[in-house]
Amino acid sequence: QVQLVESGGGLVQPAGSLRLSCAASRVDISLYDMSWYRQAPGKQRELVAAVTSGGIKNYVDSVKGRFTISRDNTKNTVYLQMNSLKPEDTAVYYCNGRHSRYPTLFHFWGQGTQVTVSS
């Protein structure tokens, strides 16, 4: 059974940093487009950052210049480096993987990790 396991969340003060990790098992993420989503209380889940299997990266406007997505296929892991955190970044962050050729057939979510930005 494929698993995506997020880690690295927690409580951080405004302007602080966190690095989230998403470790995949029983799947080769080099074949997958990987993304980070987040969902704040009472809001819809939104795409935060994505990196294709070919390494192309995209970000939602609200995190550009502050967040960096990266992948290490040798470790089967995706990262989200979050700097200059703001209270509005508070949310549960989810890792997502979609097969680059068969996205509707092979599509996985992690269980989420809580990020709270507060003084």
Side-chain angles (χ1 to χ4, degrees):
Q1 184 176 353
V2 173
Q3 279 191 313
L4 301 178
V5 179
E6 300 98 333
S7 61
L11 174 63
V12 62
Q13 291 187 340
S17 298
L18 283 175
R19 188 175 84 150
L20 305 183
S21 300
C22 171
S25 59
R26 300 182 186 89
V27 66
D28 179 0
I29 70 163
S30 68
L31 303 176
Y32 284 71
D33 299 331
M34 302 299 295
S35 305
W36 286 95
Y37 287 73
R38 66 186 179 187
Q39 187 166 20
K43 294 188 177 181
Q44 288 189 329
R45 190 172 296 189
E46 68 167 347
L47 177 63
V48 176
V51 56
T52 68
S53 58
I56 298 171
K57 301 177 183 181
N58 285 289
Y59 301 91
V60 68
D61 285 347
S62 60
V63 308
K64 284 181 180 177
R66 301 189 297 123
F67 290 11
T68 303
I69 190 171
S70 61
R71 62 191 301 156
D72 186 340
N73 292 338
T74 66
K75 295 182 179 180
N76 232 21
T77 301
V78 179
Y79 304 97
L80 185 67
Q81 178 67 44
M82 306 186 295
N83 299 328
S84 303
L85 282 161
K86 304 175 181 180
E88 51 263 42
D89 295 317
T90 295
V92 178
Y93 283 71
Y94 297 92
C95 180
N96 173 270
R98 283 184 173 86
H99 196 284
S100 59
R101 293 188 64 185
Y102 309 103
T104 58
L105 288 178
F106 303 105
H107 180 198
F108 308 105
W109 289 95
Q111 83 289 349
T113 185
Q114 176 71 46
V115 172
T116 303
V117 184
S118 175
S119 55

